[in-house]
Amino acid sequence: MLIELLEKAQKLNFLGNAPITDHVKNANGFLEVIHTFSKENEPGHIFDIGSGGGVPALILVEKLENWSFVLLERKQKRAEFLAQAIKALDVSERVEVICDEVENVARSMDYMYSANFVTARAFGPPAVTAECACRLLKRNQFLVVSEPPNSENRWADGNLSLTGLSAIKYLQFGLSSFQVLQLLNPPSDKLPRRPGIPRKRPLW
């Protein structure tokens, strides 16, 4: 069922043209990172931002059976696809799909400071991803970003401190690379800014 859903996402142009097996391998890299930084056998809460065609979100949902998820996607047709996929996988009781800008959700009292992990695959440049994700995380919890090859220095900027995040580990699993950031301090009260502003005027 999961592979069929990913194939459907690809046909709808919600997922890149790489083989489905490559998308699954990338998602499994996210899973490895989560296992590395989570407390053993203790279920948590994950926000996936820019969920699009469901990678890594749908794979993580299937693998982490005791975890709860929020999938954030601002484009309605993609959000509708994700909602249908969650129903098909019969996991609606622990997975929520929200069609909205991440900046709005991160400012909601229902969601801010509630995530153990925020996952981001092709969401945007480092400054945009960090700003949009920071207020979703609990203190000392983790943002995991899928990285382009040879990109260890993308997060080396003083303005990252405004988000409260610190880049703590760069990991590679197979051909996939990941940057792990930890929320060590509260984000600036100004972050995230209004929807669209992080992309128009990035912090760095």
Side-chain angles (χ1 to χ4, degrees):
M1 172 63 73
L2 179 57
I3 298 302
E4 291 175 6
L5 290 168
L6 297 178
E7 289 172 345
K8 181 179 179 180
Q10 198 166 56
K11 289 177 182 177
L12 292 169
N13 292 321
F14 297 165
L15 202 57
N17 292 326
I20 295 297
T21 52
D22 288 357
H23 290 296
V24 173
K25 287 176 182 177
N26 178 258
N28 284 335
F30 275 99
L31 184 66
E32 292 289 341
V33 175
I34 291 167
H35 282 317
T36 299
F37 286 91
S38 61
K39 295 179 181 178
E40 191 171 357
N41 298 324
E42 185 175 317
H45 191 46
I46 295 177
F47 282 70
D48 183 64
I49 59 176
S51 294
V55 177
L58 297 181
I59 292 97
L60 295 179
V61 166
E62 186 176 73
K63 298 282 188 179
L64 298 169
E65 296 180 353
N66 296 319
W67 290 55
S68 59
F69 291 80
V70 176
L71 279 49
L72 299 177
E73 173 55 52
R74 66 186 180 89
K75 295 183 178 179
Q76 186 172 350
K77 288 184 178 180
R78 298 182 184 211
E80 289 172 353
F81 162 78
L82 291 167
Q84 291 168 4
I86 293 308
K87 186 175 181 180
L89 293 171
D90 195 23
V91 291
S92 299
E93 75 283 353
R94 60 185 179 91
V95 184
E96 181 179 6
V97 177
I98 299 177
C99 183
D100 200 352
E101 301 285 357
V102 176
E103 295 96 322
N104 289 331
V105 178
R107 286 288 188 179
S108 166
M109 293 298 293
D110 292 333
Y111 299 103
M112 66 170 64
Y113 304 130
S114 64
N116 300 94
F117 291 89
V118 174
T119 54
R121 179 181 185 265
F123 178 78
V128 178
T129 303
E131 178 171 349
C132 290
C134 62
R135 196 167 293 275
L136 293 169
L137 284 165
K138 296 178 182 178
R139 187 77 171 267
N140 296 321
Q141 300 304 293
F142 305 97
L143 167 63
V144 184
V145 184
S146 184
E147 292 282 271
N150 305 313
S151 57
E152 292 186 57
N153 295 320
R154 295 204 310 155
W155 304 86
D157 191 280
N159 280 344
L160 178 63
S161 64
L162 295 173
T163 69
L165 290 161
S166 179
I168 61 167
K169 193 78 173 179
Y170 182 85
L171 297 169
Q172 189 158 359
F173 297 100
L175 297 177
S176 297
S177 302
F178 301 89
Q179 181 66 58
V180 182
L181 301 99
Q182 188 173 21
L183 189 74
L184 298 178
N185 298 295
S188 164
D189 289 340
K190 297 179 181 179
L191 302 182
R193 292 167 290 173
R194 295 191 317 276
I197 300 300
R199 294 181 187 275
K200 291 178 182 176
R201 300 201 299 270
L203 295 174
W204 71 86

